[in-house]
Amino acid sequence: RGVVELHEDGKITDRIMIDGGLADGSGESVTIMAERAIDLGTADAAALKETAAAASEADADFLNAVIAEL
């Protein structure tokens, strides 16, 4: 689990929280296959809190980690 930052011209253009999966890097590109991913730039903390309250423990743990990054 962690945050992936996308960069363009030395600046962060997007942040995505991922959970599970794998990453493959080659040259100047990286491919990430994640079990779960949420775009931190468009995530709604209130909606995530509501969803986490009704989610399984593993899903709630991930959603709460996302909320902490917002």
Side-chain angles (χ1 to χ4, degrees), residues 34-51:
E35 292 178 24
R36 294 178 266 220
I38 294 182
D39 184 343
L40 296 174
T42 60
D44 178 342
L48 290 172
K49 285 180 186 178
E50 188 174 311
T51 302

Side-chain angles (χ1 to χ4, degrees), residues 3-8 10-16 30 32:
V3 176
V4 174
E5 295 178 338
L6 305 177
H7 294 252
E8 187 173 322
K11 296 180 182 179
I12 298 171
T13 59
D14 206 356
R15 297 174 66 232
I16 302 167
V30 175
I32 298 173

Side-chain angles (χ1 to χ4, degrees), residues 1-3 17 40 59-70:
R1 174 175 302 160
V3 176
M17 172 71 85
L40 296 174
D59 288 339
D61 185 44
F62 173 68
L63 294 171
N64 288 321
V66 171
I67 292 165
E69 287 292 329
L70 294 176

Side-chain angles (χ1 to χ4, degrees), residues 12-33:
I12 298 171
T13 59
D14 206 356
R15 297 174 66 232
I16 302 167
M17 172 71 85
I18 61 165
D19 191 34
L22 59 98
D24 178 42
S26 61
E28 293 190 23
S29 68
V30 175
T31 300
I32 298 173
M33 298 183 74

